[in-house]
Amino acid sequence: MSNTDIEIVVEDPTAPEADSPAVASTGVVDVVVSLLLLALALTLGWDNWRTGAAWDSTGPQAGYFPFYLSVILGAASLYGLATAFLSRKEASEAFVTRAQLRRVMAVFVPTLLFCLATQFLGLYVASFLLIAAFMRMVGKIALWKSLLTAFVFTAAMFVTFDIAFDVIMPKGPLEAAFGY
């Protein structure tokens, strides 16, 4: 047997279970996303028609190009709906299982909380908390390593953006206490 015939299999101990029940089917997700995009297209089309979607003496009005982009989006949404209703085989397949959704939510929820925390604590404190929490909870890394890495990264970000390049970033009460 040559070396090229050797197959290396690596198992992921954190991989979701293969027998996890489905949360949503592909068909349902296709229909819901297509309906949401169609609603967005109708809203944008109506608003741009109201703004002005024709030509006047100086050229196209403000809503001309966005209106036709919303028409294209609406057509694509209708095509997506038709495809979702016509493809019965794919519609019954699982889009996401419970275990997969749990892994996605383990990233989505902290990221959403980071966005909310940025409004009140500022970018740097929220970044520190996000990095430290991810390293500790998701990566299972030692607390001192998580805190040290989060501090070094946040400090490097502060020096780079606020001091070196003088970029205005969202600040919170901690930065205000230090005069920034």
Side-chain angles (χ1 to χ4, degrees), residues 51-113:
T51 303
W55 284 81
D56 62 8
S57 61
T58 61
Q61 292 177 327
Y64 181 80
F65 292 111
F67 173 77
Y68 285 103
L69 288 175
S70 64
V71 169
I72 293 170
L73 178 62
S77 301
L78 290 174
Y79 176 78
L81 278 172
T83 303
F85 285 122
L86 293 177
S87 63
R88 296 286 179 211
K89 181 178 179 267
E90 290 177 10
S92 62
E93 294 176 5
F95 177 75
V96 66
T97 64
R98 186 175 297 151
Q100 291 169 338
L101 185 62
R102 191 176 308 119
R103 288 176 65 134
V104 169
M105 288 297 123
V107 173
F108 177 73
V109 171
T111 305
L112 179 66
L113 293 174

Side-chain angles (χ1 to χ4, degrees), residues 29-54:
V29 172
D30 285 346
V31 169
V32 168
V33 169
S34 293
L35 287 173
L36 288 172
L37 288 174
L38 183 61
L40 177 67
L42 290 172
T43 303
L44 292 174
W46 174 80
D47 189 49
N48 288 307
W49 182 265
R50 188 182 52 81
T51 303

